[in-house]
Amino acid sequence: MTLALMALAIAVLLHLRVPVAFAFLGPSLVYMATIGQSTGMSLRHVTNAAASFPLLAVPLFVLLGTLANHAGIAERFFRFALALLARVRGGLGYVSIGTSLAFSWMSGSAVADAAALGKVQIPAMLRHGYSRRFATGVSASSSLVAPVMPPSIPAVIFAGLAAVSTGALFAASVVPAFAIAVGLCIVVYILVRRRETVTSGDFDAHELRESAKGVLLPMLAPVIILGGILGGYFTPTEAAAVGVVFIIVVGLLQRSLSFRGFVDALKDAVTTTAGIMLIVATASLLGYILARERLPQLLTELAFSVTSSPTMFLLLSAIMMLILGTVIDATAILVLVVPILLPIAAQFGVDPIVMGVVLILSLMIGLLTPPVGTVLFVTASVSRTRVGEVFRGTLPFIVPIALIVLVIILVPASVLWLPGVLGL
């Protein structure tokens, strides 16, 4: 009964558009007061959740993405991909996906990707005869590669909560990220092959050479960051710090990062990090309450009463994440459900790395679905398009992402082989 009342209170607050962190914190503080716990004890739970060394990588990776954005690296990747695929029919669709794939090695956030690239990609596609629905749909959908491909911020959060190797989770995420990019390219091919209004550009060897010079240094960033982590030279936190320094050096060498841009990048990083960590902290208090009310034990009994199959458990978990991801922020869901689902997954014999990849991928689809759909709103804002039109544009692209989740559930080895090869 207590949990039902709390769920109702949180639902009402979210419906009233109260920020997620405060929608969690308010009912949680009331609960703690009713059981005789002081406000100080409650706040200690909140602050302890944020005081985590693995989570120190989050602000650094966020800063890495904002610096790359303000240094104009996203635009450089777009220019290079556009020159490379100038004569390919539907090339701008592939350019959007390729640019998102390249920028994902530095951003780690779908929202940052959508904001940085959408304002460049969408106008270019509209000028070349692509429909607004297609342009916004492919731009929004391709941004989902960022939170899957390392350095994935959701992966850092999951690894910290589940006490698993961040490097192993990063390695396990590489194959799904590339698979998403391939799946999106297939959808682009199907959608544009019969559209006579879509035009191609002219190949310019000089433009290709010049644009390639602009991306040579930034392309070293993933080599340094992932190579350092997977090679055992850096922890993820240290790799993020090294990546930040590298991007600053690149921005100075290429004269693309001004002092004002640097300050703006810091401001953006602080704002984004504050939002993430506030959700992590307040959701941890709610998680403590759920554990105190024995919700994990109740869910374990329910899960085993429904099925004894690890595959079915993963499928049900993915469906639950898809549903929750449409109404609640992905970070909040991870903080809430990982401590609950991970012990159940262990009883089913599910590898925590597989569990992490499935949860993250399933949650990312929620970024493209109303009513929360953060990426939908960002894309609609930068393109001045109605949210409903953007959502309809993303629908064909959600299909391959959902199929990839299903493949991982049915064949867990598809994400475990790379960590195994690397000895992680």
Side-chain angles (χ1 to χ4, degrees), residues 80-110:
F80 172 69
L82 187 60
L84 184 66
L85 301 172
R87 298 189 64 179
V88 177
R89 182 168 181 78
L92 276 172
Y94 305 122
V95 166
S96 295
I97 297 166
T99 307
S100 293
L101 182 65
F103 192 60
S104 69
W105 296 97
M106 285 167 276
S107 69
S109 165

Side-chain angles (χ1 to χ4, degrees), residues 44-422:
R44 193 174 300 118
H45 278 289
V46 171
T47 54
N48 287 344
S52 167
F53 180 75
L55 291 181
L56 183 59
V58 172
L60 291 171
F61 279 130
V62 170
L63 179 59
L64 176 65
T66 58
L67 285 170
N69 184 17
H70 284 276
I73 291 175
E75 288 82 356
R76 287 202 180 95
F77 279 131
F78 182 79
R79 181 187 171 194
F80 172 69
L82 187 60
L84 184 66
L85 301 172
R87 298 189 64 179
V88 177
R89 182 168 181 78
L92 276 172
Y94 305 122
V95 166
S96 295
I97 297 166
T99 307
S100 293
L101 182 65
F103 192 60
S104 69
W105 296 97
M106 285 167 276
S107 69
S109 165
V111 174
D113 193 310
L117 297 175
K119 60 187 178 184
V120 179
Q121 296 169 345
I122 296 169
M125 281 189 275
L126 294 178
R127 288 195 301 269
H128 284 79
Y130 294 81
S131 69
R132 183 172 293 273
R133 180 179 297 183
F134 175 87
T136 55
V138 70
S139 182
S141 303
S142 60
S143 71
L144 293 198
V145 177
V148 179
M149 180 71 80
S152 160
I153 293 173
V156 172
I157 294 172
F158 179 91
L161 294 168
V164 298
S165 166
T166 306
L169 190 55
F170 277 0
S173 302
V174 171
V175 172
F178 277 108
I180 289 173
V182 171
L184 296 180
C185 287
I186 292 172
V187 175
V188 168
Y189 172 77
I190 293 171
L191 292 178
V192 303
R193 60 178 177 170
R194 294 181 179 176
R195 293 191 180 183
E196 299 298 330
T197 56
V198 173
T199 61
S200 302
D202 297 322
F203 179 77
D204 186 334
H206 175 73
E207 172 64 14
L208 180 61
R209 285 193 300 271
E210 290 301 310
S211 61
K213 293 177 184 177
V215 299
L216 285 178
L217 282 176
M219 284 298 288
L220 293 176
V223 177
I224 295 171
I225 295 169
L226 286 187
I229 294 173
L230 301 181
Y233 299 106
F234 309 132
T235 66
T237 303
E238 292 166 347
V242 170
V244 166
V245 173
F246 178 77
I247 291 298
I248 292 174
V249 171
V250 169
L252 293 176
L253 289 176
Q254 296 184 333
R255 297 181 180 179
S256 59
L257 183 63
S258 63
F259 179 74
R260 181 175 180 179
F262 176 72
V263 172
D264 288 341
L266 288 177
K267 290 179 180 177
D268 291 346
V270 168
T271 303
T272 303
T273 302
I276 292 173
M277 296 309 295
L278 190 58
I279 291 173
V280 169
T282 55
S284 70
L285 177 59
L286 181 56
Y288 165 78
I289 293 170
L290 297 180
R292 191 177 185 278
E293 292 291 324
R294 300 187 70 255
L295 183 63
Q297 292 87 339
L298 295 174
L299 289 179
T300 301
E301 295 172 5
L302 177 62
F304 277 100
S305 68
V306 172
T307 181
S308 58
S309 167
T311 301
M312 185 57 66
F313 168 73
L314 275 175
L315 183 60
L316 292 173
S317 299
I319 293 172
M320 182 173 71
M321 293 302 101
L322 283 170
I323 296 171
L324 290 175
T326 64
V327 293
I328 304 177
D329 181 84
T331 301
I333 297 172
L334 282 175
V335 178
L336 284 176
V337 305
V338 169
I340 294 173
L341 289 183
L342 209 61
I344 305 175
Q347 294 190 46
F348 276 99
V350 175
D351 191 292
I353 298 296
V354 175
M355 189 71 182
V357 174
V358 169
L359 292 185
I360 291 169
L361 274 173
S362 303
L363 282 173
M364 292 309 104
I365 296 176
L367 295 175
L368 296 178
T369 52
V372 175
T374 313
V375 169
L376 287 182
F377 287 95
V378 170
T379 304
S381 175
V382 299
S383 64
R384 297 181 180 179
T385 307
R386 290 182 291 107
V387 173
E389 185 74 1
V390 179
F391 175 59
R392 283 189 287 273
T394 63
L395 286 175
F397 297 98
I398 291 176
V399 175
I401 302 174
L403 289 176
I404 290 166
V405 175
L406 184 60
V407 169
I408 294 171
I409 290 172
L410 296 175
V411 190
S414 61
V415 297
L416 291 175
W417 75 269
L418 185 57
V421 168
L422 297 173

